[in-house]
């Protein structure tokens, strides 16, 4: 399995984290680490996920979420 590091910036709302984690799970990725902080009214998440699937399958779906401002990733 391949590991990927993602950094997400999102609007700070109560349901945002739940939506992100649901997409990660539904796309067949396992969460290895998660850290979060608030910066200037935005939620900044750092995730390490792993899967045998292509990262683009996850990134495309995360970018569609209404609360997501930016997705940055390293392969």
């Amino acid at each position: 399995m391949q590991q990927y590091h993602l950094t997400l910036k999102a609007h700070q709302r109560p349901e945002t984290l739940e939506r992100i984690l649901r997409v990660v799970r539904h796309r067949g990725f396992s969460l290895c680490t998660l850290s979060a902080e608030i910066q200037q009214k935005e939620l900044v998440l750092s995730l390490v996920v792993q899967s045998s699937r292509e990262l683009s399958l996850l990134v495309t779906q995360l970018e569609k979420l209404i609360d997501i401002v930016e997705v940055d990733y390293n392969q």
Side-chain angles (χ1 to χ4, degrees):
M1 282 198 194
Q2 181 101 6
Q3 283 196 345
Y4 306 101
H5 181 267
L6 296 132
T7 303
L8 308 174
K9 288 186 181 178
H11 298 293
Q12 182 187 356
R13 298 180 57 185
E15 64 276 6
T16 301
L17 182 58
E18 183 180 343
R19 286 182 181 152
I20 291 168
L21 294 176
R22 186 177 334 122
V23 169
V24 169
R25 182 174 49 90
H26 282 222
R27 291 296 163 213
F29 287 77
S30 298
L31 185 65
C32 298
T33 64
L34 168 68
S35 65
E37 63 180 307
I38 307 293
Q39 292 180 355
Q40 300 174 348
K41 296 185 180 180
E42 283 186 343
L43 180 62
V44 179
L45 298 166
S46 178
L47 302 125
V48 175
V49 296
Q50 70 178 16
S51 180
S52 56
R53 305 183 89 188
E54 291 291 322
L55 181 61
S56 62
L57 295 172
L58 177 60
V59 171
T60 302
Q61 293 304 309
L62 288 171
E63 291 174 336
K64 290 180 183 180
L65 293 176
I66 194 164
D67 293 327
I68 297 294
V69 175
E70 180 182 333
V71 178
D72 188 28
Y73 56 91
N74 298 336
Q75 288 195 13

